[in-house]
Each structure stands twice: as structure tokens, then as C-alpha cells.
Amino acid sequence: MAKTIDITEKLNFEESPVLVVKGEKIHVNDDAVTMLAVMQLMGGDSPPVKDVMVAYEKLFSEKDRKVMESKLKLKFSALMTVIQEAVALISGDLNQGE
């Protein structure tokens, strides 16, 4: 019989990572399929705007996008920073704590 190892306890199925912007909690969709799609879209040095928009829609729920668009009114450079930080957060490239 093949060796079986249950790794369920090592996995997180319930908590999504969160970015805080001006006190607002922005939840980041971190499921594997989303992350692979976003990595493919954002893989180049300067991804096309349509790819950035697709990544934005995949990373953040409609509710959180409305917070960023209506309440925070982020400038383009700030939005790009939020997207980049979200990708870093879910890919494990972020070194800072909560």
C-alpha cells in the first residue's frame, strides 16, 4: 500500500490575506487558480492595461474594489502599488508582519 500523509492541518482554507490602506481592510483573493492567472498576467516588465485590470478584478472582490474606487479614490500609482503588494502578499514575497 502507498504511503499516505495527511497535510490538512498545514493548509489554510479559511483566512484570506488582508492589506490595510488608510485604515480600510482590503481582502486579497489568494486561491491557487487566481494566483496562477495573476502571475501569468503580471509576468512581464510592463503588462498591458487590460491585463492589469483583469488581475485587479481577480485579486479583489467587488466590495473591496468599490472601497478602493469610491472611498479611497486611489490614484493610478497608488492602485498599481496595491496590486503589486497584493501579488507579493499572496506569493510569499512580502517580508513585513501585520
Side-chain angles (χ1 to χ4, degrees):
M1 184 158 106
K3 186 175 183 178
T4 303
I5 300 172
D6 186 351
I7 62 167
T8 305
E9 290 182 13
K10 294 181 180 182
L11 304 176
N12 180 356
F13 294 100
E14 296 167 22
E15 298 176 14
S16 292
V18 175
L19 295 174
V20 178
V21 180
K22 294 177 90 175
E24 295 291 333
K25 291 184 177 184
I26 307 296
H27 294 82
V28 181
N29 183 2
D30 67 338
D31 68 78
V33 173
T34 296
M35 187 56 197
L36 290 171
V38 169
M39 287 172 61
Q40 185 177 17
L41 291 167
M42 303 295 286
D45 288 335
S46 184
V49 173
K50 76 174 178 106
D51 288 350
V52 173
M53 286 305 297
V54 171
Y56 172 66
E57 291 172 355
K58 288 183 174 293
L59 286 167
F60 307 107
S61 70
E62 184 176 351
K63 176 184 168 197
D64 287 322
R65 291 194 312 267
K66 285 185 182 202
V67 168
M68 287 188 278
E69 294 163 10
S70 302
K71 195 167 187 180
L72 296 174
K73 298 185 188 277
L74 298 175
K75 304 216 181 287
F76 178 74
S77 62
L79 179 60
M80 290 302 296
T81 299
V82 170
I83 292 169
Q84 291 168 346
E85 291 298 316
V87 171
L89 178 63
I90 61 179
S91 67
D93 291 341
L94 202 60
N95 291 326
Q96 72 186 55
E98 292 184 48

Coordinates of all heavy atoms in Angstrom, one line a residue:
M1 N 0.8 -1.2 0.0 CA 0.0 0.0 0.0 C 0.9 1.2 0.0 O 1.9 1.3 0.6 CB -0.9 0.0 1.2 CG -1.9 1.1 1.2 SD -3.3 0.8 2.3 CE -2.9 1.8 3.6
A2 N 0.5 2.3 -0.7 CA 1.3 3.5 -0.8 C 1.2 4.3 0.5 O 0.3 4.2 1.2 CB 0.7 4.4 -1.9
K3 N 2.3 5.0 0.7 CA 2.4 5.8 1.9 C 1.4 7.0 1.8 O 1.3 7.6 0.8 CB 3.8 6.3 2.1 CG 4.1 7.1 3.4 CD 5.5 7.4 3.5 CE 5.8 8.1 4.8 NZ 7.2 8.4 5.0
T4 N 0.7 7.3 2.9 CA -0.3 8.4 2.9 C 0.1 9.4 4.0 O 0.3 9.0 5.1 CB -1.7 7.9 3.1 OG1 -2.0 6.9 2.1 CG2 -2.7 9.0 3.1
I5 N 0.1 10.7 3.6 CA 0.4 11.7 4.6 C -0.7 12.7 4.5 O -1.0 13.3 3.5 CB 1.7 12.4 4.3 CG1 2.9 11.4 4.4 CG2 2.0 13.5 5.3 CD1 4.2 11.9 3.9
D6 N -1.4 13.0 5.7 CA -2.4 14.0 5.7 C -1.8 15.3 6.1 O -1.3 15.5 7.2 CB -3.5 13.6 6.7 CG -4.7 14.5 6.7 OD1 -4.7 15.6 6.1 OD2 -5.7 14.2 7.4
I7 N -1.8 16.3 5.2 CA -1.3 17.6 5.4 C -2.3 18.7 5.7 O -2.0 19.9 5.7 CB -0.4 18.1 4.2 CG1 -1.2 18.2 2.9 CG2 0.8 17.1 4.1 CD1 -0.4 18.9 1.8
T8 N -3.6 18.3 5.9 CA -4.7 19.2 6.0 C -4.4 20.3 7.1 O -4.7 21.5 6.9 CB -6.0 18.4 6.4 OG1 -6.2 17.5 5.4 CG2 -7.2 19.4 6.5
E9 N -3.8 19.9 8.2 CA -3.5 20.8 9.3 C -2.5 21.9 8.9 O -2.4 23.0 9.5 CB -3.1 20.1 10.5 CG -4.2 19.3 11.2 CD -3.7 18.6 12.4 OE1 -2.6 18.9 13.0 OE2 -4.5 17.7 12.9
K10 N -1.7 21.7 7.9 CA -0.7 22.6 7.4 C -1.3 23.6 6.5 O -0.6 24.6 6.1 CB 0.5 21.9 6.8 CG 1.2 21.0 7.7 CD 2.4 20.3 7.0 CE 3.2 19.4 7.9 NZ 4.3 18.8 7.3
L11 N -2.5 23.4 6.0 CA -3.1 24.3 5.0 C -4.1 25.2 5.6 O -4.7 24.9 6.6 CB -3.8 23.4 3.9 CG -2.9 22.4 3.2 CD1 -3.7 21.5 2.3 CD2 -1.7 23.0 2.5
N12 N -4.2 26.4 5.0 CA -5.2 27.4 5.5 C -6.3 27.5 4.4 O -6.1 27.9 3.3 CB -4.5 28.7 5.6 CG -5.4 29.8 6.1 OD1 -6.6 29.6 6.3 ND2 -4.9 31.0 6.3
F13 N -7.5 27.1 4.9 CA -8.7 27.2 4.0 C -9.6 28.3 4.3 O -10.6 28.5 3.6 CB -9.4 25.8 4.1 CG -8.7 24.7 3.5 CD1 -8.0 23.8 4.4 CD2 -8.6 24.4 2.2 CE1 -7.3 22.7 3.9 CE2 -7.9 23.4 1.7 CZ -7.3 22.5 2.5
E14 N -9.4 29.0 5.4 CA -10.4 29.9 5.9 C -10.0 31.4 5.9 O -10.8 32.2 5.7 CB -10.7 29.5 7.3 CG -11.4 28.2 7.3 CD -11.5 27.6 8.7 OE1 -11.4 28.3 9.7 OE2 -11.6 26.3 8.8
E15 N -8.7 31.7 6.0 CA -8.4 33.1 6.1 C -7.7 33.6 4.8 O -6.8 33.0 4.3 CB -7.4 33.3 7.2 CG -7.9 33.0 8.6 CD -6.9 33.1 9.7 OE1 -5.8 33.7 9.5 OE2 -7.2 32.5 10.8
S16 N -8.2 34.7 4.3 CA -7.6 35.4 3.1 C -6.7 36.5 3.7 O -7.0 37.1 4.7 CB -8.6 36.0 2.2 OG -9.4 35.0 1.6
P17 N -5.6 36.7 3.0 CA -4.7 37.8 3.5 C -5.4 39.1 3.3 O -6.3 39.3 2.4 CB -3.5 37.7 2.6 CG -3.9 36.8 1.4 CD -5.1 36.0 1.8
V18 N -4.9 40.1 4.0 CA -5.6 41.4 4.0 C -4.5 42.5 3.9 O -3.5 42.4 4.6 CB -6.4 41.7 5.4 CG1 -6.9 43.1 5.4 CG2 -7.5 40.6 5.5
L19 N -4.7 43.5 3.1 CA -3.9 44.7 3.0 C -4.7 45.8 3.7 O -6.0 45.9 3.6 CB -3.7 45.1 1.6 CG -2.9 44.2 0.7 CD1 -2.9 44.7 -0.8 CD2 -1.5 44.1 1.2
V20 N -4.1 46.7 4.5 CA -4.7 47.8 5.1 C -4.3 49.1 4.4 O -3.1 49.3 4.3 CB -4.4 47.8 6.6 CG1 -5.1 49.1 7.2 CG2 -4.9 46.6 7.3
V21 N -5.2 49.8 3.9 CA -5.0 51.1 3.2 C -5.8 52.2 3.9 O -7.0 52.1 3.9 CB -5.3 51.0 1.7 CG1 -5.0 52.3 1.0 CG2 -4.6 49.8 1.1
K22 N -5.1 53.1 4.5 CA -5.8 54.2 5.2 C -6.9 53.7 6.2 O -8.0 54.2 6.2 CB -6.4 55.2 4.2 CG -5.4 56.0 3.4 CD -6.0 56.9 2.4 CE -6.3 58.2 3.0 NZ -6.8 59.2 2.0
G23 N -6.6 52.6 6.9 CA -7.5 52.0 7.9 C -8.5 51.1 7.3 O -9.2 50.4 8.0
E24 N -8.6 51.0 6.0 CA -9.6 50.1 5.3 C -8.9 48.7 5.1 O -7.8 48.7 4.5 CB -10.0 50.7 4.0 CG -10.8 52.0 4.1 CD -12.2 51.8 4.8 OE1 -12.8 50.7 4.7 OE2 -12.7 52.8 5.4
K25 N -9.6 47.7 5.4 CA -9.1 46.3 5.2 C -9.6 45.9 3.8 O -10.7 45.9 3.5 CB -9.7 45.4 6.2 CG -9.1 45.6 7.6 CD -9.5 44.6 8.6 CE -8.9 44.8 9.9 NZ -9.2 43.8 10.9
I26 N -8.6 45.5 3.0 CA -8.8 45.1 1.6 C -8.4 43.6 1.6 O -7.2 43.3 1.7 CB -8.0 45.9 0.6 CG1 -8.2 47.4 0.7 CG2 -8.3 45.4 -0.8 CD1 -9.6 47.9 0.5
H27 N -9.4 42.7 1.4 CA -9.1 41.3 1.3 C -8.6 40.9 0.0 O -9.1 41.4 -1.1 CB -10.3 40.5 1.7 CG -10.8 40.7 3.1 ND1 -11.5 41.8 3.5 CD2 -10.6 40.0 4.2 CE1 -11.8 41.7 4.7 NE2 -11.2 40.6 5.2
V28 N -7.6 40.0 -0.1 CA -6.9 39.6 -1.3 C -7.3 38.2 -1.6 O -7.1 37.3 -0.7 CB -5.4 39.7 -1.2 CG1 -4.7 39.3 -2.5 CG2 -5.0 41.2 -0.8
N29 N -7.8 37.9 -2.8 CA -8.2 36.6 -3.2 C -6.9 35.8 -3.4 O -6.2 36.1 -4.3 CB -9.1 36.6 -4.4 CG -9.6 35.2 -4.8 OD1 -9.3 34.2 -4.2 ND2 -10.3 35.2 -6.0
D30 N -6.7 34.8 -2.6 CA -5.4 34.1 -2.7 C -5.5 32.6 -3.1 O -4.6 31.8 -2.9 CB -4.7 34.1 -1.3 CG -5.4 33.4 -0.2 OD1 -6.6 33.2 -0.3 OD2 -4.7 33.1 0.8
D31 N -6.6 32.3 -3.7 CA -6.7 30.8 -4.2 C -5.7 30.6 -5.3 O -5.3 31.5 -6.0 CB -8.2 30.5 -4.6 CG -8.6 31.1 -5.8 OD1 -8.2 30.7 -6.9 OD2 -9.3 32.1 -5.8
A32 N -5.3 29.3 -5.4 CA -4.2 29.0 -6.3 C -4.5 29.3 -7.8 O -3.6 29.8 -8.5 CB -3.9 27.5 -6.2
V33 N -5.7 29.1 -8.2 CA -6.1 29.3 -9.6 C -6.0 30.8 -9.9 O -5.4 31.2 -10.9 CB -7.5 28.8 -10.0 CG1 -7.9 29.2 -11.3 CG2 -7.5 27.3 -9.8
T34 N -6.5 31.7 -9.0 CA -6.3 33.1 -9.2 C -4.9 33.5 -9.2 O -4.5 34.3 -10.0 CB -7.1 33.8 -8.0 OG1 -8.5 33.5 -8.1 CG2 -6.9 35.3 -8.1
M35 N -4.1 33.0 -8.3 CA -2.7 33.4 -8.2 C -2.0 33.0 -9.5 O -1.2 33.8 -10.0 CB -2.0 32.7 -7.0 CG -0.6 33.2 -6.8 SD -0.6 35.0 -6.6 CE 1.2 35.3 -6.9
L36 N -2.2 31.8 -10.0 CA -1.6 31.4 -11.3 C -2.0 32.3 -12.4 O -1.1 32.7 -13.2 CB -1.9 30.0 -11.6 CG -1.3 28.9 -10.6 CD1 -1.8 27.6 -10.9 CD2 0.3 28.9 -10.8
A37 N -3.2 32.7 -12.5 CA -3.7 33.6 -13.5 C -3.1 35.0 -13.4 O -2.6 35.6 -14.4 CB -5.2 33.7 -13.5
V38 N -3.0 35.5 -12.2 CA -2.5 36.8 -11.9 C -1.0 36.8 -12.3 O -0.5 37.8 -12.9 CB -2.7 37.3 -10.5 CG1 -1.9 38.5 -10.2 CG2 -4.2 37.6 -10.3
M39 N -0.3 35.8 -11.9 CA 1.2 35.7 -12.2 C 1.4 35.7 -13.7 O 2.3 36.3 -14.2 CB 1.8 34.5 -11.5 CG 1.9 34.6 -10.0 SD 2.4 33.1 -9.2 CE 4.0 32.8 -9.9
Q40 N 0.5 35.0 -14.4 CA 0.7 35.0 -15.9 C 0.4 36.4 -16.4 O 1.1 36.8 -17.3 CB -0.3 34.0 -16.4 CG -0.1 33.8 -17.9 CD -1.0 32.7 -18.5 OE1 -2.0 32.3 -17.9 NE2 -0.7 32.3 -19.7
L41 N -0.6 37.1 -15.9 CA -1.0 38.4 -16.4 C 0.1 39.4 -16.1 O 0.4 40.3 -16.9 CB -2.3 38.8 -15.8 CG -3.6 38.1 -16.3 CD1 -4.7 38.4 -15.4 CD2 -3.9 38.4 -17.7
M42 N 0.6 39.4 -14.9 CA 1.6 40.4 -14.4 C 3.0 40.0 -14.6 O 3.9 40.7 -14.1 CB 1.3 40.7 -13.0 CG -0.1 41.1 -12.6 SD -0.6 42.7 -13.4 CE 0.3 43.8 -12.3
G43 N 3.3 39.0 -15.4 CA 4.6 38.4 -15.5 C 5.6 39.3 -16.2 O 6.8 39.2 -16.0
G44 N 5.2 40.2 -17.1 CA 6.2 41.0 -17.9 C 6.6 42.2 -17.1 O 6.2 42.5 -16.0
D45 N 7.6 42.9 -17.7 CA 8.1 44.2 -17.1 C 7.0 45.3 -17.1 O 6.9 46.0 -16.1 CB 9.3 44.7 -17.9 CG 10.5 43.9 -17.7 OD1 10.6 43.2 -16.6 OD2 11.4 43.9 -18.6
S46 N 6.2 45.3 -18.1 CA 5.2 46.3 -18.2 C 3.9 45.7 -18.9 O 3.7 45.8 -20.1 CB 5.7 47.5 -19.1 OG 4.7 48.5 -19.1
P47 N 3.1 45.1 -18.0 CA 1.9 44.4 -18.6 C 0.9 45.4 -19.2 O 0.8 46.5 -18.7 CB 1.3 43.7 -17.3 CG 1.9 44.4 -16.2 CD 3.2 45.0 -16.6
P48 N 0.2 45.0 -20.2 CA -0.8 45.9 -20.8 C -1.9 46.2 -19.8 O -2.2 45.5 -18.9 CB -1.4 45.0 -21.9 CG -0.5 43.9 -22.1 CD 0.3 43.7 -20.9
V49 N -2.5 47.4 -20.0 CA -3.5 47.9 -19.0 C -4.6 46.9 -18.9 O -5.1 46.7 -17.8 CB -4.0 49.3 -19.5 CG1 -5.2 49.7 -18.6 CG2 -2.9 50.3 -19.4
K50 N -5.1 46.3 -20.0 CA -6.2 45.3 -19.9 C -5.8 44.1 -19.0 O -6.7 43.6 -18.2 CB -6.7 44.8 -21.3 CG -5.8 43.8 -21.9 CD -6.5 43.4 -23.2 CE -5.6 42.4 -23.9 NZ -5.7 41.1 -24.1
D51 N -4.5 43.7 -19.0 CA -4.1 42.6 -18.1 C -4.1 43.1 -16.7 O -4.4 42.3 -15.8 CB -2.7 42.1 -18.5 CG -2.8 41.3 -19.8 OD1 -3.9 41.0 -20.3 OD2 -1.7 41.0 -20.4
V52 N -3.7 44.3 -16.4 CA -3.7 44.8 -15.1 C -5.1 44.9 -14.5 O -5.4 44.5 -13.4 CB -3.0 46.2 -15.0 CG1 -3.2 46.9 -13.6 CG2 -1.6 46.2 -15.4
M53 N -6.1 45.3 -15.4 CA -7.5 45.3 -15.0 C -8.0 43.9 -14.7 O -8.8 43.8 -13.7 CB -8.3 46.0 -16.0 CG -8.1 47.5 -16.1 SD -8.4 48.4 -14.4 CE -10.1 48.0 -14.1
V54 N -7.7 43.0 -15.5 CA -8.1 41.6 -15.2 C -7.5 41.1 -13.9 O -8.2 40.5 -13.1 CB -7.7 40.7 -16.4 CG1 -8.0 39.2 -16.0 CG2 -8.5 41.0 -17.6
A55 N -6.3 41.4 -13.7 CA -5.6 41.0 -12.4 C -6.3 41.7 -11.2 O -6.6 41.0 -10.2 CB -4.1 41.3 -12.4
Y56 N -6.6 42.9 -11.3 CA -7.3 43.7 -10.3 C -8.6 43.1 -10.0 O -9.0 42.9 -8.8 CB -7.5 45.1 -10.8 CG -8.3 46.1 -10.0 CD1 -7.9 46.5 -8.7 CD2 -9.5 46.6 -10.5 CE1 -8.7 47.3 -8.0 CE2 -10.3 47.4 -9.8 CZ -9.9 47.8 -8.5 OH -10.7 48.7 -7.8
E57 N -9.4 42.7 -11.0 CA -10.7 42.1 -10.8 C -10.6 40.7 -10.2 O -11.5 40.3 -9.4 CB -11.5 42.1 -12.1 CG -11.9 43.5 -12.5 CD -12.5 43.5 -13.9 OE1 -12.6 42.5 -14.6 OE2 -13.0 44.6 -14.3
K58 N -9.5 40.0 -10.5 CA -9.3 38.7 -9.9 C -8.9 38.7 -8.4 O -9.2 37.9 -7.6 CB -8.3 37.8 -10.7 CG -8.9 37.4 -12.0 CD -7.9 36.5 -12.8 CE -8.5 35.9 -14.0 NZ -9.5 35.0 -13.8
L59 N -8.0 39.7 -8.1 CA -7.4 39.8 -6.8 C -8.4 40.3 -5.7 O -8.3 39.9 -4.6 CB -6.2 40.8 -6.8 CG -4.9 40.2 -7.5 CD1 -3.9 41.4 -7.7 CD2 -4.3 39.1 -6.6
F60 N -9.3 41.2 -6.1 CA -10.2 41.8 -5.1 C -11.6 41.6 -5.5 O -12.0 41.7 -6.6 CB -9.9 43.4 -5.1 CG -8.4 43.7 -4.9 CD1 -7.6 44.1 -5.9 CD2 -7.8 43.5 -3.7 CE1 -6.3 44.4 -5.8 CE2 -6.5 43.7 -3.5 CZ -5.7 44.2 -4.5
S61 N -12.4 41.4 -4.4 CA -13.9 41.3 -4.6 C -14.5 42.6 -5.0 O -13.9 43.7 -4.9 CB -14.5 40.9 -3.2 OG -14.4 41.9 -2.3
E62 N -15.7 42.5 -5.6 CA -16.4 43.7 -6.0 C -16.5 44.7 -4.8 O -16.3 45.9 -5.0 CB -17.7 43.4 -6.6 CG -18.5 44.6 -7.1 CD -19.8 44.2 -7.8 OE1 -20.1 43.0 -8.0 OE2 -20.5 45.1 -8.1
K63 N -16.8 44.2 -3.6 CA -17.0 45.0 -2.5 C -15.7 45.8 -2.2 O -15.7 47.0 -1.9 CB -17.3 44.2 -1.3 CG -17.4 44.9 0.0 CD -17.7 43.9 1.2 CE -17.5 44.6 2.5 NZ -17.4 43.7 3.6
D64 N -14.5 45.1 -2.2 CA -13.3 45.7 -1.9 C -12.8 46.7 -3.0 O -12.2 47.7 -2.7 CB -12.2 44.7 -1.6 CG -12.4 44.1 -0.2 OD1 -12.8 44.8 0.7 OD2 -12.2 42.9 -0.1
R65 N -13.2 46.4 -4.2 CA -12.9 47.3 -5.3 C -13.7 48.6 -5.2 O -13.1 49.7 -5.4 CB -13.2 46.6 -6.7 CG -12.2 45.5 -7.0 CD -12.3 45.1 -8.5 NE -13.6 44.8 -9.0 CZ -14.3 43.7 -9.1 NH1 -13.7 42.6 -8.6 NH2 -15.5 43.6 -9.6
K66 N -14.9 48.5 -4.7 CA -15.7 49.7 -4.5 C -15.1 50.5 -3.4 O -15.2 51.8 -3.5 CB -17.2 49.3 -4.2 CG -17.9 48.8 -5.4 CD -19.4 48.6 -5.1 CE -20.0 48.1 -6.4 NZ -21.5 48.3 -6.4
V67 N -14.6 49.9 -2.4 CA -13.9 50.7 -1.3 C -12.8 51.4 -1.9 O -12.6 52.6 -1.6 CB -13.5 49.8 -0.1 CG1 -12.6 50.5 0.8 CG2 -14.7 49.2 0.6
M68 N -12.0 50.8 -2.7 CA -10.8 51.4 -3.3 C -11.2 52.5 -4.3 O -10.5 53.6 -4.3 CB -9.9 50.4 -4.0 CG -9.1 49.5 -3.0 SD -7.9 48.5 -3.8 CE -8.9 47.1 -4.3
E69 N -12.2 52.3 -5.0 CA -12.6 53.2 -6.1 C -13.4 54.4 -5.5 O -13.2 55.5 -5.9 CB -13.4 52.5 -7.1 CG -12.6 51.5 -7.9 CD -13.4 50.5 -8.7 OE1 -14.7 50.7 -8.8 OE2 -12.9 49.5 -9.2
S70 N -14.3 54.1 -4.6 CA -15.3 55.2 -4.1 C -14.7 55.8 -2.8 O -14.8 57.1 -2.7 CB -16.6 54.6 -3.8 OG -17.2 54.0 -4.9
K71 N -14.3 55.1 -1.9 CA -13.9 55.6 -0.6 C -12.5 56.1 -0.6 O -12.2 57.2 -0.1 CB -14.1 54.6 0.5 CG -14.1 55.1 1.9 CD -14.6 54.1 2.9 CE -14.7 54.8 4.3 NZ -15.2 53.8 5.3
L72 N -11.6 55.3 -1.1 CA -10.1 55.7 -1.0 C -9.7 56.5 -2.2 O -8.8 57.3 -2.1 CB -9.3 54.4 -1.0 CG -9.4 53.5 0.3 CD1 -8.6 52.2 0.1 CD2 -9.0 54.3 1.5
K73 N -10.4 56.4 -3.3 CA -10.2 57.2 -4.5 C -8.7 57.2 -4.8 O -8.0 58.2 -4.9 CB -10.7 58.6 -4.4 CG -12.2 58.7 -4.2 CD -12.7 60.1 -4.3 CE -14.1 60.1 -3.9 NZ -15.1 59.9 -4.9
L74 N -8.1 56.0 -5.0 CA -6.7 55.8 -5.2 C -6.3 56.4 -6.5 O -7.0 56.2 -7.5 CB -6.3 54.3 -5.2 CG -6.5 53.6 -3.8 CD1 -6.2 52.1 -4.0 CD2 -5.7 54.2 -2.7
K75 N -5.1 57.0 -6.6 CA -4.5 57.5 -7.8 C -3.9 56.3 -8.5 O -3.7 55.2 -7.9 CB -3.4 58.5 -7.5 CG -3.9 59.7 -6.7 CD -3.2 60.9 -7.1 CE -3.7 62.1 -6.3 NZ -5.0 62.6 -6.6
F76 N -3.6 56.4 -9.8 CA -3.1 55.3 -10.6 C -1.9 54.6 -9.9 O -1.8 53.4 -9.8 CB -2.8 55.7 -12.0 CG -2.3 54.6 -12.8 CD1 -3.1 53.6 -13.3 CD2 -0.9 54.6 -13.2 CE1 -2.6 52.5 -14.1 CE2 -0.4 53.5 -13.9 CZ -1.3 52.5 -14.4
S77 N -0.9 55.4 -9.6 CA 0.3 54.9 -9.0 C 0.0 54.2 -7.7 O 0.6 53.1 -7.4 CB 1.3 56.0 -8.8 OG 0.9 56.9 -7.9
A78 N -0.9 54.7 -6.9 CA -1.3 54.0 -5.6 C -2.0 52.7 -5.9 O -1.7 51.7 -5.2 CB -2.2 54.9 -4.8
L79 N -2.9 52.7 -6.9 CA -3.6 51.4 -7.2 C -2.6 50.4 -7.7 O -2.6 49.2 -7.4 CB -4.6 51.7 -8.3 CG -5.4 50.4 -8.8 CD1 -6.1 49.8 -7.6 CD2 -6.3 50.8 -9.9
M80 N -1.6 50.8 -8.5 CA -0.6 49.9 -9.0 C 0.2 49.3 -7.8 O 0.6 48.1 -7.8 CB 0.4 50.5 -10.0 CG -0.3 50.8 -11.3 SD -1.0 49.4 -12.2 CE 0.5 48.4 -12.5
T81 N 0.5 50.1 -6.8 CA 1.2 49.7 -5.6 C 0.4 48.7 -4.9 O 0.9 47.6 -4.4 CB 1.6 50.9 -4.7 OG1 2.5 51.8 -5.5 CG2 2.3 50.4 -3.5
V82 N -0.9 48.9 -4.7 CA -1.8 48.0 -4.1 C -1.8 46.6 -4.8 O -1.7 45.6 -4.1 CB -3.2 48.6 -3.9 CG1 -4.2 47.5 -3.5 CG2 -3.3 49.8 -3.0
I83 N -1.9 46.7 -6.1 CA -1.9 45.4 -6.9 C -0.6 44.7 -6.7 O -0.6 43.5 -6.4 CB -2.2 45.7 -8.4 CG1 -3.6 46.2 -8.5 CG2 -1.9 44.4 -9.2 CD1 -4.0 46.7 -9.9
Q84 N 0.5 45.4 -6.8 CA 1.8 44.8 -6.6 C 2.0 44.2 -5.2 O 2.5 43.1 -5.1 CB 2.9 45.8 -6.9 CG 3.0 46.2 -8.4 CD 3.9 47.4 -8.6 OE1 4.3 48.1 -7.7 NE2 4.2 47.6 -9.9
E85 N 1.6 44.9 -4.2 CA 1.7 44.4 -2.8 C 0.8 43.2 -2.6 O 1.1 42.3 -1.9 CB 1.4 45.5 -1.8 CG 2.4 46.6 -1.8 CD 3.8 46.1 -1.4 OE1 3.9 45.3 -0.4 OE2 4.8 46.5 -2.0
A86 N -0.4 43.2 -3.2 CA -1.3 42.0 -3.1 C -0.6 40.8 -3.7 O -0.7 39.7 -3.1 CB -2.6 42.3 -3.8
V87 N 0.0 41.0 -4.9 CA 0.7 39.8 -5.5 C 1.8 39.4 -4.6 O 2.0 38.2 -4.4 CB 1.2 40.2 -6.9 CG1 2.1 39.1 -7.5 CG2 0.0 40.5 -7.9
A88 N 2.6 40.3 -4.1 CA 3.7 39.9 -3.2 C 3.2 39.2 -2.0 O 3.8 38.3 -1.5 CB 4.5 41.2 -2.8
L89 N 2.1 39.7 -1.4 CA 1.5 39.1 -0.2 C 1.1 37.7 -0.4 O 1.4 36.8 0.4 CB 0.3 39.9 0.2 CG -0.5 39.4 1.5 CD1 0.4 39.5 2.7 CD2 -1.7 40.3 1.7
I90 N 0.4 37.4 -1.5 CA -0.1 36.0 -1.7 C 1.0 35.1 -2.3 O 0.8 33.9 -2.3 CB -1.4 36.0 -2.6 CG1 -1.2 36.6 -4.0 CG2 -2.5 36.7 -1.8 CD1 -2.5 36.5 -4.8
S91 N 2.0 35.7 -2.9 CA 3.1 34.8 -3.4 C 4.2 34.5 -2.4 O 5.1 33.8 -2.6 CB 3.7 35.4 -4.6 OG 4.4 36.6 -4.3
G92 N 4.0 35.2 -1.2 CA 5.0 35.0 -0.1 C 6.2 35.8 -0.2 O 7.2 35.6 0.5
D93 N 6.2 36.8 -1.1 CA 7.4 37.7 -1.3 C 7.4 38.9 -0.3 O 8.3 39.7 -0.3 CB 7.4 38.3 -2.7 CG 7.8 37.2 -3.7 OD1 8.3 36.1 -3.3 OD2 7.5 37.4 -4.9
L94 N 6.4 39.0 0.5 CA 6.3 40.1 1.5 C 7.0 39.7 2.8 O 6.6 38.7 3.4 CB 4.9 40.5 1.7 CG 4.5 41.9 2.2 CD1 5.0 42.9 1.2 CD2 3.0 42.0 2.3
N95 N 7.9 40.5 3.3 CA 8.6 40.2 4.5 C 8.1 40.9 5.8 O 8.5 40.6 6.8 CB 10.1 40.5 4.3 CG 10.8 39.6 3.3 OD1 10.4 38.4 3.2 ND2 11.7 40.1 2.6
Q96 N 7.3 41.9 5.6 CA 6.8 42.6 6.8 C 5.7 41.9 7.5 O 4.9 41.2 6.8 CB 6.5 44.0 6.5 CG 5.2 44.2 5.7 CD 5.0 45.7 5.3 OE1 5.8 46.2 4.7 NE2 3.9 46.2 5.7
G97 N 5.5 42.1 8.8 CA 4.4 41.5 9.5 C 3.2 42.3 9.4 O 3.0 43.1 8.6
E98 N 2.2 41.9 10.3 CA 0.9 42.6 10.3 C 1.0 44.0 10.8 O 1.8 44.4 11.6 CB 0.0 41.8 11.2 CG -0.3 40.5 10.6 CD -1.4 39.7 11.4 OE1 -2.4 40.3 11.7 OE2 -1.2 38.5 11.7

